[in-house]
Amino acid sequence: MESDVLVVTHRVVMRTLLAYFCAMPLEAMPNLSIPLHSVYRVEPTPHGAVLARFEWNPDTDEFVHVDAEL
């Protein structure tokens, strides 16, 4: 795939997608913390994926990069 895609979804589906792209075990998927008002960027690599998370800041009216710990 050579183009970007935007997925707007519920947190349950986001858990499934992140677990798949980050090669997490199925047992860990239900416990992933997916905060509201967040945007995830997943960049596929040959050995997994690079994950970045951005949160909405209403004071500045923009998304701010935060640590993407799963």
Side-chain angles (χ1 to χ4, degrees):
M1 180 180 274
E2 296 182 13
S3 61
D4 297 331
V5 63
L6 175 66
V7 178
V8 180
T9 186
H10 294 279
R11 293 190 293 173
V12 171
V13 175
M14 183 56 74
R15 283 184 187 97
T16 305
L17 292 172
L18 290 176
Y20 173 78
F21 284 114
C22 295
M24 299 181 75
L26 287 176
E27 296 79 22
M29 183 179 59
N31 300 320
L32 287 178
S33 175
I34 307 295
L36 293 173
H37 313 295
S38 294
V39 173
Y40 287 87
R41 181 181 68 211
V42 180
E43 296 178 46
T45 65
H47 304 287
V50 175
L51 183 65
R53 185 167 67 91
F54 302 84
E55 285 186 350
W56 177 250
N57 184 338
D59 297 330
T60 61
D61 196 31
E62 63 185 6
F63 282 91
V64 179
H65 183 265
V66 295
D67 290 334
E69 295 182 23
L70 293 180

